[in-house]
Amino acid sequence: MGIREDAQRVMDAALRAAQPAEAVRRALRQLEFPAGGRVVAVAVGKAAFAMAAAALEELGERIGRGIVITKYGHAPGELPRFVIREAGHPSPDGNTFSATGEAMRMVEGLGPEDTVLTLISGGGSALFESPLVTPEELQDITRQLLRAGADIRETNAVRKRLSRVKGGRFALHCQPARVASVLLSDVIGDPPDVIASGPTVQDRTTCRDALAVAKKYGLALSAQAAECLRTETPRSLPPGPVLVTGSVRELCRAAEKEAGRLGYRAQVLTDSLVCQAREAGSVLASVARYHQGSEESLAFILGGETVVVVRGKGRGGRNQELALSAAEGIAGCRDTAVFSLGSDGTDGPTDAAGGYADGDTAAKLAAAGISVHGALQDNDAYPALQAVGGLLMTGPTGTNVNDLSVLLIRRHP
Amino acid sequence: MGIREDAQRVMDAALRAAQPAEAVRRALRQLEFPAGGRVVAVAVGKAAFAMAAAALEELGERIGRGIVITKYGHAPGELPRFVIREAGHPSPDGNTFSATGEAMRMVEGLGPEDTVLTLISGGGSALFESPLVTPEELQDITRQLLRAGADIRETNAVRKRLSRVKGGRFALHCQPARVASVLLSDVIGDPPDVIASGPTVQDRTTCRDALAVAKKYGLALSAQAAECLRTETPRSLPPGPVLVTGSVRELCRAAEKEAGRLGYRAQVLTDSLVCQAREAGSVLASVARYHQGSEESLAFILGGETVVVVRGKGRGGRNQELALSAAEGIAGCRDTAVFSLGSDGTDGPTDAAGGYADGDTAAKLAAAGISVHGALQDNDAYPALQAVGGLLMTGPTGTNVNDLSVLLIRRHP
């Protein structure tokens, strides 16, 4: 088997592990539900349907009832004992508010032996909302924050206080039932209280933060809204497990495991890579060069998300640029490959998930009359990689947990 | 002992190992000299004096005679049984040619049991030369190549054929004596036939290359010079050991060894890092974040040379930018440090060798009212690091084998 096939296997295993269904099942296996107690599932976010389906598969009849609140067009069918609701995203609408109300009523009247299982994914901030101000004012304040250039922390400090469910308030509302949360993480390094504005997680912002933001940006607020900002979110929540799953960390670990299975000594270097794509490619190539002739097969795994500084008018994406840049640095290295892909199957505005390069890629590019330097300068990695069979095509993968970049070096036989 | 002290020890050990004297001694211990045979030492280059002194220290009376050819002002004294010559650099002059002639005569009349020990360092291309054309034409052709923008490989293909000593011709001249070469490498990834134009190493360029260069740039050549380009350098040299020492690889390995001694699981990631300094800092910080809470102390070591894209008007250097950029990414990480330094003790146009940052650096900078982002934008790392005690000052180290960048993560006690 060639190194290209090894790369394919590592990639497939990582993408499988990052599937919401698989990630949810893995998390649920770590939870315990008191025997005899009821389980009510509340799934919100763009992956709510898949998360609820996976929970049903894992827990079956243990889930007595549930609700899915997801984006329009994101609920492909029905689920037993679940209410399915679709609503507006990225702006909440009337259906958001009514569905959130349904969820709130569904968890009322439970006892301490019962569990509310919240399944939360990206988009949850918009899709799970019951505002303490009028929908019009909520929208207006959101716009004011946006226009003023408030960052995510500032926006959250304000938004959480205008909501009945954000900032841990939904967890409080579930009492006396126990709350267990499974968070599908698709944001690099995001703390649980930021994902979907943390409906079941202790808020780390304060009234003081919120009021400072209002002052800093001169927000126009109704008396009611101003009062909301002065009202604190729950300072201590009843304890309940919070599991972050399907994260880029798990993507990396799955790649590490599969590479190990294929005989590589595998090592995750980071799961929070943030740098320029082509620089990351240079760094990986320099690591590759050092380890040429190693007596073991080696795999170096990096997760995160690189950026591209767009200067040219070509086609490409950050992962393709990373691979193309590495191609130059590993030119002539035997049994050495670098690949990089977006876990959602999309890399930049292209239909490729990412790029693959090995020690022969530079020679193939030269033979095709393509200059690596020129292609990088023009941000034109797509046609370059396409010409040498270096595009990774996966189609939509059903997940989105940042990028995976891998360097493989096979021991020479 | 704090992590700052660990960093200092790793740095000191690496710099010690990269000293020309230490590097030469280490290499000589790997060589064997036939008992009864004579040893003649020919040391050329900017570090020739230090290399010859180290060889005398290691081999003592075994060296029967020798010659040092170095740059003006680079021979601080006398050495027993050695002739000391100083000559022009970067352009050869009359003293170059006469000293090279002396060296050639010194190795004549040796037998197969005798050894010519060549000790070669940077600057050797200019300092060791006996041209086959007039000095004026040699200078003229060099200028033509320079003006036309010829690269190092092209220049070498021509220059080697105009010389009596370059491209392996000196080794041929030494026959029937055995030739042993110790090369002090100060150029990242440079092959032995490029260092000092490879007087004792098989030339990898050909007449065909040389003639193609002459044609490509339309070189004006005398009939004599044209004939030289048609005359091949030795295609097979008598076998003799070629040891590259004092390289960035040895710098890294010494750092790895010392970190290991201090209890870190240490790993060299690369010895040929080439990327933007601040991006390298980001990558190291992302590696640091991933390994927080590790049950072992970890050290990641990188050698090479980063670059700075100068946009601002501040003071700093590539190593200082790397450390400052990392400071941001490791903010708040306990027992975590990144340092980076130029092995010659000079980083950019400053008196610092490089920079140091740990998990507290960002907070100290903030307290001092210094923005990391602003300092990086203005290429103004020096005063920023100075304000928080983050400058590494070594003074001239007596060596120059690229940069060393290290990430240390201490296990929490």
Side-chain angles (χ1 to χ4, degrees), chain A residues 249 253 256 267-276 279-280 282-283 286-291 300 302, chain B residues 249 253 256 267-276 279-280 282-283 286-291 300 302 311:
Chain A
R249 177 162 291 212
R253 296 235 165 119
E256 184 182 28
Q267 176 180 17
V268 179
L269 285 181
T270 182
D271 64 357
S272 66
L273 186 66
V274 270
C275 72
Q276 289 178 33
E279 302 293 313
S282 298
V283 172
S286 75
V287 174
R289 288 193 301 271
Y290 182 76
H291 292 92
F300 295 90
L302 299 90
Chain B
R249 176 161 293 210
R253 296 234 166 120
E256 184 182 28
Q267 177 181 15
V268 179
L269 286 180
T270 182
D271 65 359
S272 65
L273 186 66
V274 269
C275 71
Q276 289 178 30
E279 303 293 314
S282 298
V283 171
S286 75
V287 173
R289 290 193 301 270
Y290 182 76
H291 292 92
F300 295 91
L302 299 90
R311 290 191 206 83

Side-chain angles (χ1 to χ4, degrees), chain A residues 41-55:
Chain A
V42 176
V44 298
K46 284 189 273 183
F49 190 89
M51 289 184 84

Side-chain angles (χ1 to χ4, degrees), chain B residues 40-277:
Chain B
V40 176
V42 176
V44 298
K46 285 188 273 181
F49 190 89
M51 289 183 85
L56 271 174
E57 235 177 88
E58 188 66 25
L59 301 175
E61 304 279 328
R62 290 290 283 120
I63 299 181
R65 57 190 156 140
I67 183 169
V68 164
I69 309 178
T70 192
K71 187 175 169 174
Y72 292 118
H74 278 53
E78 297 297 318
L79 293 171
R81 301 184 300 289
F82 271 75
V83 172
I84 310 288
R85 297 289 178 256
E86 294 184 333
H89 181 275
S91 292
D93 60 12
N95 286 334
T96 310
F97 309 139
S98 66
T100 304
E102 276 185 90
M104 293 180 77
R105 285 189 297 279
M106 199 180 274
V107 299
E108 287 163 11
L110 296 174
E113 70 288 358
D114 299 326
T115 303
V116 176
L117 173 63
T118 59
L119 304 165
I120 298 173
S121 54
S125 275
L127 294 164
F128 197 51
E129 181 60 291
S130 173
L132 293 165
V133 293
T134 63
E136 293 70 29
E137 182 166 22
L138 176 63
Q139 196 172 28
D140 172 60
I141 294 173
T142 304
R143 275 203 201 117
Q144 290 184 57
L145 287 164
L146 206 65
R147 215 175 298 132
D151 66 25
I152 179 76
R153 194 187 141 82
E154 292 173 332
T155 301
N156 269 345
V158 171
R159 288 279 303 267
K160 283 179 173 181
R161 285 173 179 72
L162 303 176
S163 170
R164 268 187 202 90
V165 290
K166 290 179 160 55
R169 283 174 172 160
F170 182 68
L172 204 66
H173 178 78
C174 292
Q175 283 197 286
R178 190 181 71 127
V179 176
S181 308
V182 175
L183 280 60
L184 194 69
S185 167
D186 57 0
V187 187
I188 198 166
D190 250 12
D193 79 317
V194 171
I195 300 171
S197 305
T200 61
V201 181
Q202 170 81 57
D203 180 17
R204 296 199 298 181
T205 66
T206 64
C207 280
R208 207 172 141 183
D209 295 331
L211 294 166
V213 173
K215 193 174 168 194
K216 176 175 175 186
Y217 298 117
L219 296 186
L221 300 168
S222 68
Q224 191 187 11
E227 182 56 34
C228 285
L229 297 200
R230 284 191 295 271
T231 308
E232 200 47 285
T233 50
R235 289 298 93 182
S236 81
L237 285 176
V242 176
L243 297 175
V244 180
T245 194
S247 65
V248 62
R249 176 161 293 210
E250 289 180 313
L251 184 77
C252 292
R253 296 234 166 120
E256 184 182 28
K257 208 166 154 188
E258 182 66 15
R261 207 175 285 139
L262 293 171
Y264 293 83
R265 189 156 66 83
Q267 177 181 15
V268 179
L269 286 180
T270 182
D271 65 359
S272 65
L273 186 66
V274 269
C275 71
Q276 289 178 30

